[in-house]
Structure formats: C-alpha cells, structure tokens
Coordinates of all heavy atoms in Angstrom, one line a residue:
M1 N -3.2 -6.9 1.4 CA -3.0 -5.6 0.9 C -4.3 -4.7 1.2 O -5.4 -5.2 1.0 CB -2.8 -5.6 -0.6 CG -1.3 -5.7 -0.9 SD -1.0 -5.5 -2.6 CE -1.7 -7.0 -3.3
P2 N -4.1 -3.5 1.6 CA -5.3 -2.6 1.8 C -5.9 -2.3 0.5 O -5.3 -2.2 -0.6 CB -4.7 -1.4 2.5 CG -3.2 -1.7 2.8 CD -2.8 -2.8 1.9
L3 N -7.2 -2.0 0.7 CA -8.0 -1.6 -0.5 C -8.1 0.0 -0.5 O -8.5 0.6 0.5 CB -9.4 -2.2 -0.4 CG -10.3 -1.9 -1.6 CD1 -9.9 -2.6 -2.8 CD2 -11.7 -2.4 -1.2
Y4 N -7.7 0.6 -1.6 CA -7.8 2.0 -1.7 C -8.8 2.4 -2.7 O -9.1 1.7 -3.6 CB -6.4 2.6 -2.1 CG -5.4 2.4 -1.0 CD1 -4.4 1.4 -1.1 CD2 -5.4 3.2 0.2 CE1 -3.4 1.2 -0.1 CE2 -4.4 3.0 1.1 CZ -3.5 2.0 1.0 OH -2.5 1.8 2.0
E5 N -9.3 3.6 -2.5 CA -10.3 4.2 -3.4 C -9.7 5.3 -4.2 O -9.0 6.2 -3.6 CB -11.5 4.6 -2.6 CG -12.8 4.4 -3.4 CD -14.0 4.7 -2.5 OE1 -13.9 5.4 -1.5 OE2 -15.1 4.1 -2.8
Y6 N -9.9 5.4 -5.5 CA -9.4 6.4 -6.3 C -10.5 7.1 -7.1 O -11.5 6.5 -7.3 CB -8.3 5.8 -7.3 CG -7.1 5.2 -6.6 CD1 -7.2 3.9 -6.1 CD2 -6.0 6.0 -6.3 CE1 -6.1 3.4 -5.4 CE2 -4.9 5.5 -5.6 CZ -5.0 4.1 -5.2 OH -3.9 3.6 -4.5
Y7 N -10.2 8.3 -7.6 CA -11.1 9.0 -8.3 C -10.5 9.5 -9.6 O -9.4 10.1 -9.6 CB -11.6 10.2 -7.5 CG -12.5 11.2 -8.2 CD1 -13.9 10.8 -8.4 CD2 -12.1 12.4 -8.8 CE1 -14.7 11.7 -9.1 CE2 -12.9 13.2 -9.4 CZ -14.3 12.9 -9.6 OH -15.1 13.7 -10.3
C8 N -11.2 9.3 -10.7 CA -10.7 9.7 -12.0 C -11.4 11.0 -12.4 O -12.6 11.1 -12.5 CB -10.9 8.7 -13.1 SG -10.4 9.3 -14.7
A9 N -10.6 12.1 -12.5 CA -11.1 13.4 -12.8 C -11.7 13.5 -14.2 O -12.5 14.3 -14.5 CB -10.1 14.5 -12.6
D10 N -11.2 12.6 -15.1 CA -11.6 12.6 -16.5 C -13.0 11.9 -16.6 O -13.9 12.4 -17.2 CB -10.6 11.9 -17.4 CG -9.3 12.8 -17.5 OD1 -9.4 14.0 -17.3 OD2 -8.3 12.2 -17.8
C11 N -13.1 10.8 -16.0 CA -14.3 10.0 -16.1 C -15.3 10.4 -15.0 O -16.5 10.1 -15.1 CB -14.1 8.5 -16.0 SG -12.9 7.9 -17.2
K12 N -14.8 11.0 -14.0 CA -15.6 11.4 -12.8 C -16.2 10.1 -12.2 O -17.4 10.1 -11.8 CB -16.7 12.4 -13.2 CG -16.1 13.7 -13.6 CD -17.2 14.7 -13.9 CE -16.6 16.1 -14.1 NZ -15.5 16.1 -15.1
I13 N -15.4 9.1 -12.1 CA -15.8 7.9 -11.4 C -14.9 7.5 -10.3 O -13.7 8.0 -10.3 CB -15.9 6.7 -12.4 CG1 -14.5 6.4 -13.0 CG2 -16.9 6.9 -13.5 CD1 -14.4 5.1 -13.8
K14 N -15.4 6.8 -9.4 CA -14.5 6.2 -8.4 C -14.3 4.8 -8.7 O -15.1 4.1 -9.2 CB -15.2 6.4 -7.0 CG -15.3 7.8 -6.5 CD -15.7 7.9 -5.1 CE -17.1 7.4 -4.8 NZ -17.6 7.6 -3.4
F15 N -13.1 4.3 -8.3 CA -12.8 2.9 -8.4 C -11.8 2.5 -7.3 O -11.2 3.3 -6.7 CB -12.2 2.6 -9.8 CG -10.9 3.3 -10.1 CD1 -9.7 2.7 -9.9 CD2 -10.9 4.6 -10.6 CE1 -8.5 3.4 -10.2 CE2 -9.7 5.3 -10.9 CZ -8.5 4.7 -10.7
E16 N -11.8 1.2 -7.1 CA -11.0 0.7 -6.0 C -9.8 -0.1 -6.5 O -9.9 -0.7 -7.6 CB -11.9 -0.1 -5.1 CG -13.0 0.7 -4.4 CD -13.9 -0.2 -3.6 OE1 -14.0 -1.4 -3.9 OE2 -14.5 0.3 -2.7
A17 N -8.8 -0.2 -5.7 CA -7.6 -1.0 -6.1 C -6.9 -1.5 -4.9 O -6.8 -0.8 -3.9 CB -6.7 -0.2 -7.0
L18 N -6.5 -2.7 -5.0 CA -5.7 -3.2 -3.9 C -4.2 -2.9 -4.2 O -3.7 -3.3 -5.2 CB -5.8 -4.8 -3.8 CG -7.1 -5.2 -3.2 CD1 -7.3 -6.7 -3.4 CD2 -7.1 -5.0 -1.7
R19 N -3.6 -2.2 -3.3 CA -2.2 -1.8 -3.5 C -1.4 -1.9 -2.2 O -2.0 -1.9 -1.1 CB -2.1 -0.4 -4.0 CG -3.0 0.0 -5.1 CD -2.7 1.3 -5.7 NE -1.6 1.3 -6.6 CZ -1.0 2.3 -7.1 NH1 -1.4 3.5 -6.7 NH2 0.0 2.2 -8.0
R20 N -0.1 -2.0 -2.3 CA 0.7 -1.9 -1.1 C 0.6 -0.5 -0.6 O 0.4 0.5 -1.3 CB 2.2 -2.2 -1.5 CG 2.4 -3.5 -2.0 CD 3.8 -3.7 -2.5 NE 4.1 -4.9 -3.3 CZ 4.4 -6.0 -2.7 NH1 4.5 -6.1 -1.4 NH2 4.5 -7.1 -3.4
M21 N 0.8 -0.4 0.8 CA 0.6 0.9 1.4 C 1.7 1.9 0.8 O 1.4 3.0 0.7 CB 0.8 0.7 2.9 CG -0.4 0.0 3.6 SD -0.1 -0.1 5.4 CE -0.5 1.5 5.9
S22 N 2.8 1.3 0.5 CA 3.9 2.2 0.0 C 3.6 2.7 -1.4 O 4.2 3.7 -1.9 CB 5.2 1.4 -0.1 OG 5.1 0.3 -0.9
Q23 N 2.6 2.1 -2.1 CA 2.3 2.5 -3.4 C 0.9 3.3 -3.4 O 0.5 3.7 -4.5 CB 2.1 1.3 -4.3 CG 3.4 0.5 -4.5 CD 3.2 -0.7 -5.4 OE1 2.2 -1.4 -5.2 NE2 4.1 -1.0 -6.3
A24 N 0.4 3.5 -2.3 CA -1.0 4.1 -2.2 C -1.1 5.4 -2.9 O -2.1 5.7 -3.5 CB -1.4 4.2 -0.7
D25 N 0.0 6.2 -2.8 CA -0.1 7.5 -3.4 C 0.6 7.6 -4.8 O 0.6 8.7 -5.4 CB 0.6 8.5 -2.4 CG -0.3 8.8 -1.2 OD1 -1.5 8.9 -1.4 OD2 0.2 8.8 -0.1
D26 N 1.0 6.5 -5.3 CA 1.6 6.5 -6.6 C 0.5 6.7 -7.6 O -0.7 6.3 -7.4 CB 2.3 5.2 -6.9 CG 3.6 5.0 -6.1 OD1 3.9 6.0 -5.4 OD2 4.2 4.0 -6.2
P27 N 0.8 7.2 -8.8 CA -0.2 7.4 -9.8 C -0.7 6.0 -10.2 O 0.0 5.0 -10.3 CB 0.6 8.0 -11.0 CG 1.7 8.7 -10.3 CD 2.1 7.8 -9.2
I28 N -2.0 6.0 -10.5 CA -2.6 4.7 -10.9 C -3.5 5.0 -12.1 O -4.1 6.1 -12.2 CB -3.5 4.1 -9.7 CG1 -4.0 2.7 -10.1 CG2 -4.6 5.0 -9.3 CD1 -4.7 2.0 -9.0
A29 N -3.5 4.0 -13.0 CA -4.3 4.2 -14.2 C -5.7 4.0 -13.9 O -6.1 3.1 -13.2 CB -3.8 3.2 -15.3
C30 N -6.6 4.8 -14.5 CA -8.0 4.7 -14.4 C -8.4 3.4 -15.0 O -8.0 3.0 -16.1 CB -8.7 5.9 -15.0 SG -10.5 5.7 -15.2
V31 N -9.4 2.7 -14.3 CA -9.8 1.4 -14.8 C -10.7 1.6 -16.1 O -10.8 0.7 -16.9 CB -10.7 0.7 -13.8 CG1 -9.9 0.3 -12.6 CG2 -11.9 1.5 -13.4
R32 N -11.1 2.8 -16.4 CA -12.0 3.0 -17.5 C -11.3 3.7 -18.7 O -11.3 3.2 -19.8 CB -13.2 3.9 -17.1 CG -14.2 4.1 -18.2 CD -15.5 4.6 -17.6 NE -16.2 5.5 -18.5 CZ -17.3 6.2 -18.1 NH1 -17.8 6.1 -16.9 NH2 -17.8 7.0 -19.0
C33 N -10.5 4.8 -18.4 CA -9.9 5.5 -19.5 C -8.4 5.2 -19.6 O -7.7 5.6 -20.5 CB -10.1 7.0 -19.5 SG -9.3 7.8 -18.1
Q34 N -7.9 4.5 -18.6 CA -6.5 4.2 -18.5 C -5.6 5.4 -18.3 O -4.4 5.4 -18.4 CB -6.0 3.3 -19.7 CG -6.8 2.1 -19.9 CD -6.7 1.1 -18.7 OE1 -5.6 0.9 -18.2 NE2 -7.8 0.6 -18.3
G35 N -6.2 6.5 -18.1 CA -5.5 7.8 -17.8 C -5.0 7.8 -16.4 O -5.4 7.0 -15.5
T36 N -4.1 8.8 -16.1 CA -3.6 8.9 -14.8 C -4.0 10.2 -14.1 O -3.3 10.7 -13.2 CB -2.0 8.8 -14.8 OG1 -1.5 9.7 -15.8 CG2 -1.6 7.4 -15.2
N37 N -5.1 10.8 -14.6 CA -5.6 12.0 -14.0 C -6.4 11.5 -12.8 O -7.6 11.9 -12.7 CB -6.4 12.8 -15.0 CG -6.7 14.2 -14.5 OD1 -6.1 14.6 -13.4 ND2 -7.5 14.9 -15.1
T38 N -5.8 10.8 -11.9 CA -6.5 10.2 -10.8 C -6.0 10.7 -9.4 O -4.8 11.1 -9.4 CB -6.4 8.7 -10.8 OG1 -5.0 8.3 -10.9 CG2 -7.1 8.1 -12.0
S39 N -6.8 10.6 -8.4 CA -6.3 10.9 -7.1 C -6.9 9.9 -6.1 O -7.9 9.4 -6.3 CB -6.7 12.4 -6.7 OG -8.1 12.5 -6.8
R40 N -6.1 9.7 -5.1 CA -6.6 8.8 -4.0 C -7.6 9.4 -3.1 O -7.4 10.5 -2.6 CB -5.4 8.2 -3.3 CG -5.8 7.2 -2.3 CD -4.6 6.4 -1.8 NE -3.7 7.2 -0.9 CZ -3.8 7.1 0.4 NH1 -4.7 6.4 1.0 NH2 -3.0 7.9 1.2
L41 N -8.6 8.7 -2.8 CA -9.5 9.1 -1.8 C -9.1 8.6 -0.4 O -8.5 7.5 -0.4 CB -11.0 8.7 -2.1 CG -11.5 9.2 -3.5 CD1 -12.9 8.6 -3.8 CD2 -11.5 10.7 -3.6
I42 N -9.6 9.2 0.6 CA -9.2 8.7 1.9 C -10.0 7.5 2.2 O -11.2 7.4 2.1 CB -9.6 9.8 3.0 CG1 -8.8 11.1 2.7 CG2 -9.3 9.3 4.4 CD1 -7.3 10.9 2.7
S43 N -9.3 6.4 2.5 CA -9.9 5.1 2.7 C -10.6 5.1 4.1 O -10.2 5.7 5.0 CB -8.8 4.1 2.8 OG -9.4 2.9 3.3
V44 N -11.7 4.4 4.0 CA -12.5 4.2 5.3 C -11.7 3.4 6.3 O -11.7 3.7 7.5 CB -13.8 3.5 5.0 CG1 -14.5 3.2 6.3 CG2 -14.7 4.3 4.1
F45 N -10.9 2.5 5.8 CA -10.2 1.6 6.7 C -9.1 2.4 7.5 O -8.9 2.2 8.6 CB -9.5 0.5 5.9 CG -10.4 -0.5 5.3 CD1 -10.5 -0.6 3.9 CD2 -11.2 -1.2 6.1 CE1 -11.4 -1.5 3.3 CE2 -12.1 -2.1 5.5 CZ -12.2 -2.3 4.2
A46 N -8.5 3.4 6.8 CA -7.5 4.1 7.4 C -8.0 5.0 8.5 O -7.3 5.4 9.4 CB -6.8 5.0 6.4
A47 N -9.3 5.3 8.5 CA -9.9 6.2 9.5 C -10.4 5.4 10.7 O -10.7 6.0 11.7 CB -11.1 7.0 8.9
I48 N -10.4 4.1 10.6 CA -10.9 3.3 11.7 C -9.9 3.3 12.8 O -8.8 2.9 12.6 CB -11.2 1.9 11.2 CG1 -12.4 1.9 10.2 CG2 -11.6 1.0 12.4 CD1 -12.7 0.5 9.6
S49 N -10.4 3.6 14.0 CA -9.5 3.4 15.1 C -10.4 2.6 16.1 O -11.5 3.0 16.4 CB -9.0 4.7 15.7 OG -10.1 5.5 16.2
K50 N -9.8 1.6 16.7 CA -10.6 0.7 17.5 C -11.0 1.4 18.8 O -10.2 2.1 19.4 CB -9.8 -0.6 17.7 CG -10.7 -1.7 18.3 CD -11.8 -2.1 17.3 CE -12.8 -3.1 17.8 NZ -13.8 -3.4 16.9
G51 N -12.1 1.1 19.3 CA -12.7 1.8 20.5 C -12.3 1.1 21.8 O -11.2 0.6 22.0
S52 N -13.3 1.0 22.6 CA -13.1 0.7 24.0 C -13.0 -0.8 24.4 O -12.6 -1.1 25.5 CB -14.2 1.4 24.9 OG -15.4 1.0 24.4
S53 N -13.5 -1.6 23.5 CA -13.7 -3.0 23.9 C -12.4 -3.7 24.2 O -12.4 -4.8 24.8 CB -14.5 -3.8 22.8 OG -13.7 -3.8 21.7
G54 N -11.3 -3.2 23.8 CA -10.0 -3.8 24.2 C -9.5 -4.7 23.1 O -8.3 -5.0 23.1
E55 N -10.4 -5.2 22.3 CA -9.9 -6.1 21.2 C -9.4 -5.2 20.0 O -10.0 -4.2 19.7 CB -11.0 -7.0 20.7 CG -12.1 -6.2 19.9 CD -13.0 -7.2 19.2 OE1 -12.6 -8.3 18.9 OE2 -14.2 -6.8 19.1
S56 N -8.3 -5.6 19.5 CA -7.8 -4.8 18.4 C -7.8 -5.7 17.1 O -7.1 -6.8 17.1 CB -6.4 -4.4 18.7 OG -5.5 -5.5 18.9
R57 N -8.5 -5.3 16.2 CA -8.5 -6.0 14.9 C -7.4 -5.5 14.0 O -7.2 -4.2 13.9 CB -9.9 -5.8 14.3 CG -10.1 -6.6 13.0 CD -11.5 -6.5 12.5 NE -12.5 -7.1 13.5 CZ -13.8 -7.0 13.3 NH1 -14.3 -6.3 12.3 NH2 -14.6 -7.6 14.2
S58 N -6.7 -6.3 13.4 CA -5.6 -5.9 12.6 C -6.1 -5.2 11.3 O -6.9 -5.8 10.6 CB -4.7 -7.1 12.2 OG -5.4 -7.9 11.4
L59 N -5.7 -4.0 11.1 CA -6.1 -3.2 10.0 C -5.1 -3.5 8.8 O -3.9 -3.9 9.0 CB -6.1 -1.7 10.3 CG -7.0 -1.3 11.4 CD1 -6.9 0.2 11.6 CD2 -8.5 -1.7 11.0
G60 N -5.6 -3.4 7.6 CA -4.7 -3.6 6.5 C -4.5 -5.0 6.1 O -3.9 -5.4 5.2
G61 N -5.2 -5.9 6.8 CA -5.1 -7.3 6.5 C -6.2 -7.7 5.5 O -6.7 -6.8 4.8
S62 N -6.5 -8.9 5.4 CA -7.5 -9.3 4.5 C -8.9 -9.3 5.1 O -9.3 -10.2 5.8 CB -7.2 -10.7 3.9 OG -7.2 -11.6 5.0
S63 N -9.5 -8.2 5.0 CA -10.9 -8.1 5.6 C -11.8 -8.0 4.4 O -11.6 -7.4 3.4 CB -11.0 -6.8 6.4 OG -10.8 -5.7 5.7
G64 N -12.9 -8.7 4.6 CA -13.9 -8.7 3.5 C -13.4 -9.6 2.4 O -12.5 -10.3 2.5
C65 N -14.1 -9.4 1.2 CA -13.7 -10.2 0.1 C -13.6 -9.2 -1.1 O -13.7 -8.0 -1.0 CB -14.8 -11.2 -0.2 SG -16.4 -10.5 -0.6
A66 N -13.4 -9.8 -2.3 CA -13.1 -9.0 -3.4 C -14.3 -8.2 -3.9 O -14.2 -7.2 -4.6 CB -12.6 -9.8 -4.6
S67 N -15.4 -8.6 -3.5 CA -16.6 -8.0 -4.0 C -17.3 -7.0 -3.0 O -18.4 -6.5 -3.2 CB -17.7 -9.0 -4.4 OG -18.1 -9.7 -3.3
C68 N -16.6 -6.8 -1.9 CA -17.2 -5.8 -1.0 C -16.1 -5.0 -0.3 O -15.0 -5.4 -0.3 CB -18.0 -6.5 0.1 SG -17.0 -7.4 1.4
S69 N -16.4 -3.9 0.2 CA -15.5 -3.1 0.9 C -15.7 -3.1 2.4 O -15.0 -2.4 3.2 CB -15.5 -1.6 0.4 OG -16.8 -1.1 0.5
A70 N -16.7 -3.8 2.9 CA -16.9 -3.9 4.3 C -16.2 -5.1 4.8 O -15.5 -5.8 4.1 CB -18.4 -4.1 4.5
T71 N -16.3 -5.3 6.1 CA -15.6 -6.4 6.7 C -16.3 -7.7 6.5 O -15.8 -8.8 6.6 CB -15.5 -6.2 8.2 OG1 -16.7 -5.9 8.8 CG2 -14.5 -5.1 8.5
S72 N -17.6 -7.7 6.1 CA -18.3 -8.9 5.8 C -19.5 -8.5 4.9 O -20.0 -7.5 4.9 CB -18.9 -9.5 7.1 OG -19.8 -8.7 7.7
C73 N -19.8 -9.5 4.1 CA -21.0 -9.4 3.2 C -21.5 -10.8 2.9 O -20.9 -11.8 3.5 CB -20.6 -8.7 1.9 SG -19.6 -9.6 0.8
A74 N -22.5 -10.9 2.1 CA -23.0 -12.2 1.8 C -22.0 -13.2 1.2 O -22.0 -14.4 1.6 CB -24.2 -12.1 0.9
A75 N -21.1 -12.6 0.4 CA -20.1 -13.4 -0.2 C -19.0 -13.9 0.8 O -18.5 -15.0 0.7 CB -19.5 -12.7 -1.4
C76 N -18.8 -13.0 1.7 CA -17.8 -13.3 2.7 C -18.2 -14.4 3.6 O -17.5 -15.3 4.0 CB -17.4 -12.1 3.6 SG -16.8 -10.7 2.7
S77 N -19.5 -14.4 4.1 CA -19.9 -15.3 5.1 C -20.3 -16.6 4.6 O -20.5 -17.6 5.3 CB -21.1 -14.6 5.8 OG -22.1 -14.3 4.9
S78 N -20.5 -16.7 3.3 CA -20.8 -18.0 2.7 C -19.5 -18.8 2.5 O -18.8 -18.6 1.5 CB -21.5 -17.9 1.4 OG -20.7 -17.3 0.4
G79 N -19.2 -19.6 3.4 CA -17.9 -20.3 3.2 C -17.5 -21.1 4.4 O -17.9 -21.1 5.5
Ligands
ZN1 ZN1 -10.8 7.6 -16.2

C-alpha cells in the first residue's frame, strides 16, 4: 500500500498513513485529535517518474520500511 501524507488543520500537524489508492482521498481521522479536518498532501512517491536508465521501479509497492518515507534507511538495510 502506498504511504500518503495528511495535514490536520486543527492541530497543524502532518501525519502519514498507509492506505489503498482508492481510499487516498477519503476523509481520515487525525492521529492526534481524531478529527477529520484533514487534507491529503501530494505524496512524493506519486511525483516520481523514472528517468533515462531504462529500469522501472514499481511504484506503490513496499518501498522503505514503517519508520521511513524514503526507499531506504538504516532500518531498511539492516536485515
Ligand atoms: Zn488533529
């Protein structure tokens, strides 16, 4: 599942959630106030388009780990 980023207008915080693509724009409860005054931010992953090298990495798959939003981090590589 892709990782999406949301913003709570009440708390003025950003938070992330793993959701199905079909649910990406559905209202989501804020992790802090549980309110639904939230909006989805444009995901970095969605903006990635693969360049010239010819290899295509599948987007929307399991990239990275639960503790990072990049494709790799210390937690990802230890294993
Ligand atoms: Zn909130």
Side-chain angles (χ1 to χ4, degrees):
M1 271 188 290
L3 183 68
Y4 293 103
E5 214 172 23
Y6 297 86
Y7 175 78
C8 176
D10 291 335
C11 303
K12 296 183 171 51
I13 61 167
K14 292 191 292 184
F15 60 96
E16 295 174 335
L18 283 167
R19 310 189 85 191
R20 298 174 191 274
M21 289 180 76
S22 58
Q23 296 177 320
D25 289 317
D26 288 356
I28 186 172
C30 169
V31 293
R32 185 162 146 187
C33 70
Q34 303 301 312
T36 51
N37 194 9
T38 54
S39 57
R40 184 165 69 97
L41 302 177
I42 300 301
S43 167
V44 175
F45 293 117
I48 293 176
S49 62
K50 196 61 185 178
S52 56
S53 64
E55 70 169 331
S56 63
R57 187 174 293 174
S58 66
L59 299 177
S62 61
S63 61
C65 64
S67 64
C68 75
S69 56
T71 52
S72 66
C73 69
C76 297
S77 56
S78 68

